[in-house]
Structure formats: structure tokens, C-alpha cells
Amino acid sequence: MIEVKLRSVAFLVLVAVSGAPQLLAQQNGLVSTVVQRDSVPNASDTVAALAARLAELDQQVRILTRLHEISADSAAAAAKDKQSVTASAKDGFSFKSADGKYLLRLRGYVQGDGRFFANDVAVPTTDNMLLRRVRPILEGAVGRYFGFRLMPDFGGTSPAIFDAYFDGNFTPAFTVRAGKFKPPLGLERLQSAQDIMFAERGLPNNLVPSRDIGLQIAGDISDGLFAYQAGVFNGVADLANGGDDLSDAKDFAGRVFIQPFKSGSFRPLGVGIAGSTGLERASITTSGLPSYRTPGQNTLFKYGSSTTTPANNVFADGRRIRIAPQGYFYTGPFGLLGEYTISRNTVNKAGAVAELEHKAWQAEGSFFLTGEKNSFKSPTIKKPFDLAEGSRGFGAIELVARYGELELDPASFPTYASLTTSVQKAKAVGVGVNWHFTRAVKVMVDYERTTFTGGATTGDRESENAVITRFQTSF
Amino acid sequence: MKTFALTLLFAGSAVPFGPPPTPKPVTLLNVSYDPTRELYEDFNQQFAAYWKNRTGQAVTIRQSHGGSGKQARSVIDGLEADVVTLALAYDIDQIADKGGLLPANWQTRLPNNSSPYTSTIVLLVRKGNPKNIRDWGDLAKPGVTVVTPNPKTSGGARWNYLAAWAWALRQPGGSDATAKDFVTKLYKNVPVLDAGARGATTTFVERGIGDVLIAWENEALLAIKELGPGKFEVVAPSLSILAEPPVAVVDKIANKHGTREVAQAYLEYLYTDAGQEIAAKHFYRPRNAAIAAKYQSQFPSVKLVTVDEAFGGWKKAHAAHFADGGTFDQIYQPGS
């Protein structure tokens, strides 16, 4: 249409400026004789000039038409490059700038648990249904190199901030993270709560912190062959979700992790070691010491404290060291994760100082009956749950099993441990099944039996037989 | 440990017996420059058959084409290319430098600086060569309309520009100043700057605009083959540039997609006799000497210079000519 209009305009221009008298002469017999008489000597030149002029104008029209086409193509391409809004089970809801450098993404997950205890005669434990985690996640990219993450948790008894950090992603081999996040220690702790094999992490998780505030550098070298993290942190007690520091001294934590083999894009074997060291100077009012939990989330060890004689409260007073060798192996539908953790704490009770070394280990494995590829992260489900004809799917079924032990330093007893709530050793064996309906929905059922020895003066504590169920939805 | 043994036991019991499973089908995205559509349509079919025969795995290759520089930016900005087959090394360098998607030494990972085929720049004129265009100098004459794409977005256009500049430098008394003057005059004769080489071909061939198209040799020969020798002629200039379009696996994307192995094989297949034959049939100059000799007659004889010889490499050439504020920005103002 445009082309037709432009050609019409060109024709009118041609008539107006180049050859109007001659063209009119050809179309009007009344004046043709006069015009022919005046033009005869230059007729061939005029025709040639007209042809050239016509060709020139034809080119002009073609050029204008083409420029219009290019302009339309550019406008269409620009429209495609506009900011995008996306939604998916994998990446949540996001707003992204056209160049991808600015991104705001909303994700989150909710875990609703049931905890049921069998044969809890001597130590009755309340069966309970609870919201274990309710975590919206706000992530973003600010320019090419910087990003952030904010993750509060509204599960449990009171809201708390778990992740709040800022990243500088300069190269894969060098990134910087500042804020509150997981220190580089326990392997299962570093796995997302959405991806762990069992509803609750195993016994070694007691000996590493959950979150701490600090500054970390990290990198991934040779396409995952070698990874490192090193950071300085406030320093918090085992299992704690860190906040303000209790003393001037800081903790230093580091981890190296090697994945020597490669199968396609996948590195099936990973082994590494992590550690931390720091000085803790707490007080009888703020102990700076942890308590430890069973897989059923009941307290199995606690340091001594007293409201009537607070001077006898046990508190952290010296060096704390953690060492955590770790590894995993994934092949096809099978996955295995193992770790060993030592946490050495210097404690003080009324001037009596002791260095207590607690140790834990576990091995856990999982297998996808439905053939999904196992990895450190949740699987890509082959046939997501769907009742529709033609795309019918059942989801993925994963069987899990584990064994773990936690041994508290015998020197903890009887001086430093709470003798009413502490055991000296725990052994836990668990099995379970996970049904991954889709990437977004998972149901877990675990049974874990934990046996206890030593500790309390009244004899070995009754075994814990916990059935834990979980409904998890994430986006 | 008993539990661990039990774990292994139930895991093992669930392993299915029978013949090894058929490998899962895989899809590759090849992000390429403008004129390679036909080459890769042909090549992809043959590679898919080869790969299926070798591994049993079905592979589907999707193609994306556009101006080379624009394609590189798309990959940097998130277009998930398993492999890139672009017009010039500088564009893949950008993907390595700015996107961090492959290592800086990517060009050493395949033979011939990762360029499995070469080409050059020629002039395509209308039948009978009505404006009597014989060499680069004719393109700067008044009254000649030249079609070439935009060097800001098109790799081919950058080769065009540099070929003209290199010719001017080698004229008697040639210098950067005379070359700049020549190229300025040439671009004053360019009425339309398409985003890519294929667009420029459309402008010249289908829209009938211009007296001469500065084109990839393969694009010019393809136009003659498709439209018949009765409409266009190739004019080989006295000197042109050796264009070495490179290829590379985009490591991070291929690793993410789990396509590293097939992506690598895909590019290596370009170097095989079969791949070289396909390239030659689509008017790319093969690297393989025997196959190059076999197809020698279809390529005009042109004296060639390399970017390294004439400009000290792509990074220098880009900084001097095509970066913001470079020579091209100085000599060409849109609408002027």
C-alpha cells in the first residue's frame, strides 16, 4: 500500500517538474503540433533525460519503501526486546529488563509438616502439625554484575530473616557476597531446604551454623572442577541463625570442593572439606552455646543453665573450631551424600574451662524409582503429575534412607551438660519416600528411629520413633 | 552401615533389566549470522543423520540468524545458544569477555583458529554491469548507488568496510587519511543500511535498489545461482579481505543444557570431508586442500589480505573503526 502511494507521488512529481509540457502534448492533440514543432531537434535527448529522471525517481521510491520496511522490522524487533514478565514453577515470577541486566524475581516455598511419635511412653512427645517453613524469596539483578536475595521465614514461632545478602558476580572464579547467608561448612546445610532427601536434616547438621552475617569470596574454577569459599563472619553457635556478635573476635570459615570427573555436563562425584575457627567470649547471661536436636526436632543435648544460680550457667569462652569433610556421588537415579563434622567448643562454668569436642557423621542415599536423574538439586521430573488424557503423568517417586550418629564429648558430663535433657550419644536410622508430583509440589513421608545412650543420670533415654510427613509447595 | 547396605539393595533391585535405553533426544540452538541459513539447513540434516547413526541419539538443531554483532549481543543478553557460528572472531570474543559464557582461548580449541571455512568480499552488479564497476574505486564515484549493511550490527558489513579500506590503503599514496576519504565517499553513495547481509541482498536483488551490492562471496554466488546468471554478475575486485567466520561451543549454555558432547561433535563435523563438501556446495571456501581444489573453479581469483595484516587484528580494527565514536561514526551520519 505504501509502495503504491509512493509511486503515485513520484509520478505526480515527475509530471510536475520534469516533463509536464511534453506529456501533456502526447495526451492532447490540440497542442501536439506546436509542441512537436518546438521539440523535434531535441526529442531523443528529452526522452533519454526523461528515462534517466524516471529511473532516478524510481530508485528514490524504492529506497523510501525499503527504508520504511527496515523501520517496521526494527520496530517489531524493538517490541520483542521490551521488558518481559515471566512466570514458571522453576523461576517463580519475574520482571526483566530488555537487556536482562535488571531483574526482580519473586519465589518462595511453604512446608507443612506433621510430626508423630510412636512408643513415647517415658518421654511423651506431642504429636503436632505445623508450618515448618514459610519463605517468600525476593531475588534480583542490579546491572550485569550485582544481585541480591532476601528470604524471611514466617514458619515457626516468630518471623526471622534467613537470607539477606548482596552479591558481586564478577567472574565465575571470583564472586563476593556480603550480608546474612549460610557459612560454607556443612554439606547438607548448604543444600536448599527444598532439595534435601529427608524432611529434616541429619545429625551432623547440629554441629554447623544455619546462617551468619559476614563477607565471603567464592569461585568456581575450570567449569566446576574446583570450587572455593572463604569468609569472615560474626561467629555464631552451632545450628544458630546468626545475628549480632557477642565479642570483637570474628570467625573465619572456608571450604574447598573438588568434582574431578565429568560425564557430559554433569560432575557425578564431589569431595571437599570445610572448616572454621574463631574466638567466642560470651557470658553467663548470653551463653553463645547451642543445644542439639533429634531428627524429630526434640532437644537431645543442652548446656547447663540455671535461673536460680546463674553464676553456674555454662558459656562459650575461647576458641571454637569446626572441621567438616564431605562428599556426594550421583549416578543416574541414585544419589549418595556423606559428611563427618567435628565441633570443638571452649566452655566455661564458674571459672572451670574445658574444651569439648562433639562429633557427628551420616550417610544418606536416595533412588528415583521413576528414573529421574539424581543430583544435589531437585530433579527434573520425567512425567509431571497430570490427569489429562495425552499428557498423563504420575510424577516422580524417590526412596530415601540414611544412618547417622552424634557423639557428645564425654567430658561434657556431668559438669557442663544439662543432665535432665542431654544424652551422650545418638544413633539415627531413617527411611522414607518422596513423591514429587511436579517441580512445585512434593509430599514426603519419613520414619526415623533414634536411639540414645549415656548422658542423663537416670539412664539411657527412651528411643525416639518419629514419623514426619511434609507437604511442600514451591515456585 | 546395615542401613546403607539396605539402601544399595533396594536401589539395585529397582534397576530395570533389558537392553540399554535409547538416548534421550536432544536439541541444539545454533546462533549464526545472516547468510548461513542455507548452509546450516543442509549441514544440520546431514549432521543429525550422522549423529543418530553414531550414537543412536536424535538431535534437532534450531537455527537463529541475524546480523553477527546483533546475534552476539543476543547471546550475551540471554539467548541460550549451544553453539555460535558467527561472522567474525570479535563477536565471539565479546561473548567470552562480556558474557563470560566461554573461555577467552575459545579460538584455539578447533583447527584453523576455529574457522572451518573462509570467504571473501566481492561486488555484485546487475547484468551487463551498466555502471561499469570494475574495482573498489568505482564505488565512490558520483551517481553510483551502493548497497551494504550496517557495520554496527552486521559482521559482513564490517568485512565489507575493511576490505574497501584495505584496498584504499594499498593505492599509490595510500594512507589512513586517503582511505578515510575514500570510504567516506563510498558511504555517501549508500542510501540504505540494512541490519544484516541477507537484508542487504534483499534490498539489492529483490527490491531492485542500487547499482552494486558489496557482498559475501558466498552470498553473491548464491544469488546468481538462485536467480540465474541472466540478472547479476560478480565483479572480483583487485584486492579483498580473507574472511574467516569462526565457530564455538558456548560452554556455559551447553553445559547447562547437557549438550556439550553433541555441540562439540557438531562443530567438529564441519571439518570432516562431508562438512567441507557441504560448505563448498554453499560457496564457502573449504579449508581442506583437496576439497578446495575440487571446487576451485567456482571461486573468482582475488588477492586477499587478512585482518591481522591490514589492521593488526579484530580488536584493533573494532576499536579504530566500529566502536562508538570510531571512524565509521565519524563518516556516516544517519540521514545525511
Side-chain angles (χ1 to χ4, degrees):
Chain A
M1 195 63 185
I2 289 283
E3 189 171 1
V4 171
K5 285 181 181 173
L6 289 170
R7 285 179 188 281
S8 303
V9 169
F11 178 76
L12 291 173
V13 170
L14 180 68
V15 168
V17 302
S18 300
Q22 290 87 339
L23 289 170
L24 285 171
Q26 288 166 12
Q27 294 169 13
N28 190 336
L30 291 174
V31 296
S32 63
T33 308
V34 176
V35 172
Q36 279 176 5
R37 190 183 304 138
D38 291 345
S39 306
V40 166
N42 300 317
S44 60
D45 290 348
T46 303
V47 170
L50 272 176
R53 185 76 176 131
L54 188 59
E56 189 181 321
L57 286 167
D58 176 67
Q59 280 289 298
Q60 289 298 324
V61 171
R62 287 171 187 268
I63 288 166
L64 287 170
T65 305
R66 183 63 176 151
L67 287 171
H68 177 77
E69 281 179 356
I70 292 170
S71 173
D73 287 348
S74 299
K80 273 201 295 186
D81 289 344
K82 276 186 179 170
Q83 297 88 343
S84 60
V85 179
T86 61
S88 75
K90 182 183 172 193
D91 295 323
F93 303 94
S94 69
F95 307 88
K96 193 175 179 183
S97 64
D99 60 7
K101 292 177 185 170
Y102 294 86
L103 168 74
L104 188 62
R105 178 186 292 147
L106 177 63
R107 298 171 53 226
Y109 59 101
V110 176
Q111 295 173 338
D113 286 12
R115 290 182 193 149
F116 308 98
F117 298 92
N119 301 323
D120 50 335
V121 178
V123 188
T125 310
T126 306
D127 295 342
N128 195 15
M129 289 186 285
L130 67 152
L131 288 173
R132 177 70 171 89
R133 295 181 178 91
V134 180
R135 295 180 173 179
I137 302 168
L138 192 64
E139 294 174 325
V142 187
R144 182 180 300 280
Y145 299 109
F146 302 101
F148 66 88
R149 175 181 164 107
L150 180 65
M151 184 180 76
D153 185 11
F154 297 100
T157 52
S158 58
I161 295 290
F162 273 69
D163 288 337
Y165 59 77
F166 195 73
D167 276 335
N169 301 305
F170 303 107
T171 71
F174 183 75
T175 64
V176 178
R177 175 170 292 178
K180 185 175 183 181
F181 52 94
K182 293 177 181 177
L185 285 163
L187 182 59
E188 195 185 27
R189 167 57 66 189
L190 291 171
Q191 195 170 27
S192 168
Q194 302 168 78
D195 301 333
I196 52 180
M197 294 183 196
F198 280 76
E200 296 294 344
R201 293 183 172 93
L203 290 170
N205 187 61
N206 279 301
L207 304 187
V208 295
S210 171
R211 303 293 195 286
D212 203 351
I213 297 174
L215 177 72
Q216 172 183 282
I217 60 169
D220 194 352
I221 295 166
S222 292
D223 194 25
L225 173 67
F226 176 80
Y228 72 90
Q229 295 106 30
V232 56
F233 297 88
N234 274 342
V236 293
D238 296 342
L239 208 55
N241 178 18
D244 292 343
D245 204 352
L246 301 176
S247 57
D248 289 344
K250 300 290 171 260
D251 271 20
F252 297 92
R255 175 175 178 261
V256 292
F257 200 72
I258 298 166
Q259 299 175 94
F261 308 116
K262 199 168 183 185
S263 171
S265 62
F266 185 61
R267 292 189 179 273
L269 174 68
V271 291
I273 187 165
S276 72
T277 181
L279 282 173
E280 305 307 317
R281 300 292 182 196
S283 67
I284 56 170
T285 53
T286 311
S287 77
L289 290 170
S291 57
Y292 299 139
R293 296 198 292 244
T294 67
Q297 301 301 291
N298 294 306
T299 301
L300 68 79
F301 178 86
K302 198 173 159 186
Y303 285 95
S305 66
S306 167
T307 51
T308 53
T309 46
N312 284 337
N313 287 356
V314 182
F315 59 94
D317 191 18
R319 185 155 299 279
R320 177 176 55 221
I321 294 172
R322 300 184 185 97
I323 301 169
Q326 54 199 247
Y328 58 57
F329 177 66
Y330 297 100
T331 178
F334 181 69
L336 181 65
L337 183 149
E339 59 186 328
Y340 181 83
T341 307
I342 297 171
S343 176
R344 192 177 299 153
N345 295 268
T346 307
V347 300
N348 186 330
K349 181 179 180 182
V353 176
E355 193 174 79
L356 304 177
E357 183 174 287
H358 309 315
K359 294 174 277 191
W361 69 273
Q362 71 166 339
E364 58 182 1
S366 86
F367 184 82
F368 281 96
L369 290 177
T370 39
E372 277 72 14
K373 190 174 178 181
N374 212 325
S375 77
F376 198 61
K377 295 185 176 178
S378 289
T380 299
I381 298 167
K382 287 186 168 182
K383 291 188 175 176
F385 184 81
D386 195 338
L387 297 175
E389 200 67 50
S391 58
R392 189 159 289 170
F394 184 73
I397 299 293
E398 178 187 21
L399 301 179
V400 297
R402 76 174 167 198
Y403 180 80
E405 294 185 359
L406 170 64
E407 183 179 359
L408 287 312
D409 194 320
S412 307
F413 302 92
T415 307
Y416 301 101
S418 165
L419 299 181
T420 55
T421 51
S422 300
V423 304
Q424 198 266 316
K425 189 166 185 179
K427 297 178 181 178
V429 57
V431 294
V433 58
N434 301 328
W435 184 358
H436 303 252
F437 282 77
T438 65
R439 179 182 279 276
V441 177
K442 177 166 75 168
V443 170
M444 311 172 81
V445 180
D446 301 333
Y447 167 71
E448 192 136 17
R449 176 179 171 81
T450 308
T451 56
F452 309 100
T453 51
T457 52
T458 53
D460 292 344
R461 189 201 289 189
E462 180 183 68
S463 298
E464 177 186 273
N465 297 283
V467 175
I468 302 175
T469 63
R470 168 165 295 168
F471 176 82
Q472 173 179 300
T473 181
S474 59
F475 62 89
Chain B
M1 291 310 290
K2 282 180 183 173
T3 309
F4 176 58
L6 281 172
T7 306
L8 289 173
L9 186 63
F10 77 63
S13 67
V15 174
F17 292 98
T22 305
K24 193 177 167 187
V26 66
T27 299
L28 289 182
L29 174 60
N30 175 5
V31 172
S32 193
Y33 61 108
D34 231 358
T36 57
R37 285 175 176 79
E38 295 78 11
L39 165 67
Y40 282 107
E41 277 168 14
D42 195 359
F43 178 81
N44 292 344
Q45 280 188 9
Q46 295 205 32
F47 173 75
Y50 157 79
W51 187 250
K52 177 81 176 171
N53 186 45
R54 183 180 136 186
T55 66
Q57 186 177 41
V59 57
T60 303
I61 299 121
R62 293 187 295 124
Q63 297 174 221
S64 168
H65 297 272
S68 185
K70 200 174 175 187
Q71 292 289 79
R73 273 197 295 281
S74 295
V75 173
I76 293 166
D77 291 342
L79 179 61
E80 295 202 339
D82 301 278
V83 298
V84 285
T85 54
L86 295 178
L88 43 94
Y90 180 82
D91 289 332
I92 303 184
D93 281 340
Q94 292 299 292
I95 297 171
D97 294 347
K98 293 187 177 172
L101 299 176
L102 69 169
N105 69 343
W106 62 270
Q107 210 165 0
T108 63
R109 300 190 299 184
L110 286 168
N112 302 113
N113 285 330
S114 292
S115 295
Y117 42 77
T118 67
S119 190
T120 188
I121 303 302
V122 297
L123 309 175
L124 188 70
V125 298
R126 301 191 188 283
K127 182 68 182 172
N129 196 357
K131 292 288 174 84
N132 195 29
I133 288 162
R134 300 292 170 203
D135 207 347
W136 290 104
D138 299 319
L139 273 54
K141 289 178 179 171
V144 173
T145 304
V146 180
V147 177
T148 182
N150 188 345
K152 289 286 192 181
T153 54
S154 162
R158 276 173 267 175
W159 288 112
N160 296 353
Y161 173 104
L162 294 179
W165 191 286
W167 173 86
L169 277 179
R170 279 159 179 73
Q171 299 313 295
S175 65
D176 279 340
T178 61
K180 183 176 179 181
D181 182 55
F182 165 70
V183 173
T184 302
K185 286 177 182 165
L186 189 159
Y187 275 89
K188 280 196 186 305
N189 287 344
V190 177
V192 177
L193 279 183
D194 283 278
R198 182 53 57 91
T201 305
T202 301
T203 296
F204 182 73
V205 171
E206 295 180 20
R207 302 293 183 266
I209 295 170
D211 303 307
V212 55
L213 171 70
I214 311 177
W216 288 101
E217 177 183 61
N218 52 278
E219 186 78 344
L221 294 172
L222 179 68
I224 290 176
K225 180 189 170 194
E226 297 287 324
L227 301 166
K231 293 188 176 175
F232 301 100
E233 295 175 9
V234 169
V235 173
S238 60
L239 179 139
S240 193
I241 200 154
L242 177 66
E244 298 178 291
V247 301
V249 173
V250 185
D251 297 44
K252 283 220 162 171
I253 305 300
N255 291 342
K256 177 183 168 187
H257 292 170
T259 54
R260 179 62 185 262
E261 187 185 1
V262 62
Q264 182 72 19
Y266 178 74
L267 297 185
E268 286 171 354
Y269 194 67
L270 285 164
Y271 290 87
T272 64
D273 287 356
Q276 294 281 286
E277 284 273 357
I278 297 167
K281 282 176 185 165
H282 288 274
F283 306 111
Y284 293 84
R285 298 185 178 215
R287 292 284 196 180
N288 181 303
I291 295 169
K294 180 178 167 186
Y295 288 88
Q296 189 177 13
S297 63
Q298 73 181 17
F299 299 112
S301 177
V302 186
K303 183 182 175 188
L304 300 175
V305 295
T306 67
V307 169
D308 288 350
E309 288 164 4
F311 299 95
W314 263 111
K315 284 197 173 165
K316 279 188 179 175
H318 180 86
H321 295 282
F322 309 120
D324 288 344
T327 312
F328 181 74
D329 281 344
Q330 296 164 28
I331 66 167
Y332 188 88
Q333 300 298 325
S336 66

